Each structure stands twice: as structure tokens, then as C-alpha cells.
Amino acid sequence: MKKLKHTNYCKRLGGFLSKLLFTVIISLMLVACEKDIDIELPDAERKIVVEGSIEPNQPPFIILTKTEGYFDPVDINSLKKSFVHDAKVTVSNGTTSVELTEICTDNLDTALLPTIAELIGVSLADVKTFGFCLYTTIDQNIFGEVGKNYSLKVEVDGEVLTSTTSIPEPVIMDNYWYQDQPGYSNYGYLWFMINDPEPLGTAYRIYTQRLGKDDRFIPANGSVFEDKFFNGLSFEAFVWRGQEVNSSKPDDIGELRSYFKQGDTIAIKFCTIDQPHFQFWSSFEIAAFNNGNPFAAPATIQTNINGGLGVWGGYGVSYDTIVAVD
């Protein structure tokens, strides 16, 4: 019996060694077949990116940056260098044309920074620590008016970029209310009901701000929608709370980050936007949502800037405030 056991053990050991040797040989063959391949990636064409908007009774603002190479380092210095300076930026409403003035927040009185942060739609902390350069004006002849079209022209380094947007008539929500999400007793969504007007093609963007908690109006998660499926109808839906990018606040990183909390005072900024403006933000949010998802189809961000990238968009704005009580 002992001899038989020894023989079986040797057979098993021999089989294991044979498999191991086979694996090693195959691995060596694969390594021997490897070949270093150098791929020369052409430098991507640098393009100017526009981020601009105009609202009723507010001045236009434009931020100009240049795209960076895919493998270029990304840090605070490179981001600051991406701003485009000394451009000729002109906005016209059809009767009045105004050349905008470039200002940089690093050179402004700190008392003005909250206004600038609200105007350009970034957090006050980012404005204070990073610094932004933008083009705007104090000429009230070019401040936003409902129902008007606004053309943009950017001239810099021999390039000319153009775009046109409008400020649509604001659509007022029929009702807002807060409702606990099933399974939670103190957390839920902001709900709304809207009576969508004719004709087809009306589009919207919604922002919220928790008074005492948020520094500014923040776009909701999934902030834009259109009336493709409810044109001319009453429509009811809810809003996911948006968060500041890279926020480290506990309520912005936990499982409840998309909810409002009972007792929150919620200010709402509800905007009507035209279709080219909508297409930009819709494609942008789809791309942001799919970022890092290996199974998602590539998304192309649409632009309404001729000769560049980005967006020039008008907002028809209405405001409301509610207290989150179920």
C-alpha cells in the first residue's frame, strides 16, 4: 500500500511539473514575441472655448479659455494659463453693440467676489483660491431683456468666433413641493408641476440653493430637460439636488448627497432656454455622467459656437422659495 501511494504521488507531482513547464515555455514564447511600438500622436489643434451667458437685467459675461493637449500636465498654473486675454469681445442685441471689458478676480475688491461667483456660476471658494478672468460690462444698454436675441463676436489671434442666443419668455412653475423619499423619514426630493406651453421645442434648466448651506445656485443633477414628450401638457417630476464639484462636505459625499433634508429652505431658479443652448448642456451632462463608464458610448458635446467650442446661452428666469416640509 505504501508503494502504491508513493507511485500515485510521483505521478501527480510529475503531472504538475509538466503543466508548470508548459506554462513557463508558453510565457517565454509570448515574451519573445513582444515588440516595442512607438506611436507618434499628433498634437491636437488648440481651440478657443467659450462659456458665456446672459439673463434679464444682468450683464453678459464671457469666459475664454484654450483647450489643452491630452497629455499636458493639469495643475492650477496650467489652468490659469488657459485663459485667453486681450480678446475683442462684442455683444449686440440688434440695435446696440457693446465691446466687453476683461477683468480678473485676483485684481478685484473681495467684496465683489460673491457677485462675480454668482454671475459666472462657480463657488465663492473657487473664485477666492483660483481666480478667474472674464469679459463683461457695466453698460446697461446691453443688459439682458426677455424676448431679445443676442449675438456674440470674439476676435483674438487672427481668429473670429460667432454665436447667437435668445432670452425666451420665462415659464412659471405651477407648483413646488417637498416629499420624503420612500424609506427615509427626513430626506427627499424637490417636486414640481409645470404646464408646458405650445409650441414644441421649449427647453428648461433648473438650479437650487439651500439657504445657509450653499453659496450659490447649483445646477440640479440632470439640470436640463425639454418638452419632447409632454409638449402642451401638465407635467410632474422631481429634482435631484446638485453638489459643488469636488465638495468634501459630509452631505455632498454620502449616500444622501442627492436629497434635500426636511427643514431646508430651498431657493429655486427655473430657466427657459432655447434649443441650441439646451443641446449643449444636455450633451455635456450625458458626457459627464458617462465619464469613466467603459460600457458607455462616446458622447460628443454639441456647441453653438461657430469657429470654436463651448456655449453662448440666454436664460429666461423665474425664482421661488419653499421650506422642505413633507
Side-chain angles (χ1 to χ4, degrees), residues 169-177 190-197 202-208 220 222-226 230 233-240 267-272 316-322:
E169 188 74 32
V171 175
I172 309 301
M173 285 286 191
D174 286 1
N175 192 23
Y176 293 104
W177 69 96
L190 171 69
W191 286 77
F192 64 84
M193 177 176 287
I194 184 173
N195 186 14
D196 179 72
T202 307
Y204 307 97
R205 194 173 194 209
I206 188 167
Y207 302 74
T208 64
S223 67
V224 293
F225 59 97
E226 61 175 336
F230 56 88
L233 303 174
S234 291
F235 177 73
E236 185 177 294
F238 63 84
V239 174
W240 283 294
I268 304 147
K269 179 181 178 181
F270 185 65
C271 306
T272 311
V317 184
S318 63
Y319 296 92
D320 212 325
T321 303
I322 71 165

Side-chain angles (χ1 to χ4, degrees), residues 20 64 105 119 155 163 181 217-218 227 234 261 264 276 302:
L20 178 61
L64 299 178
T105 57
L119 179 66
E155 301 170 83
S163 184
Q181 176 70 359
F217 282 103
I218 301 172
D227 65 353
S234 291
K261 186 178 181 181
D264 282 344
Q302 300 187 38

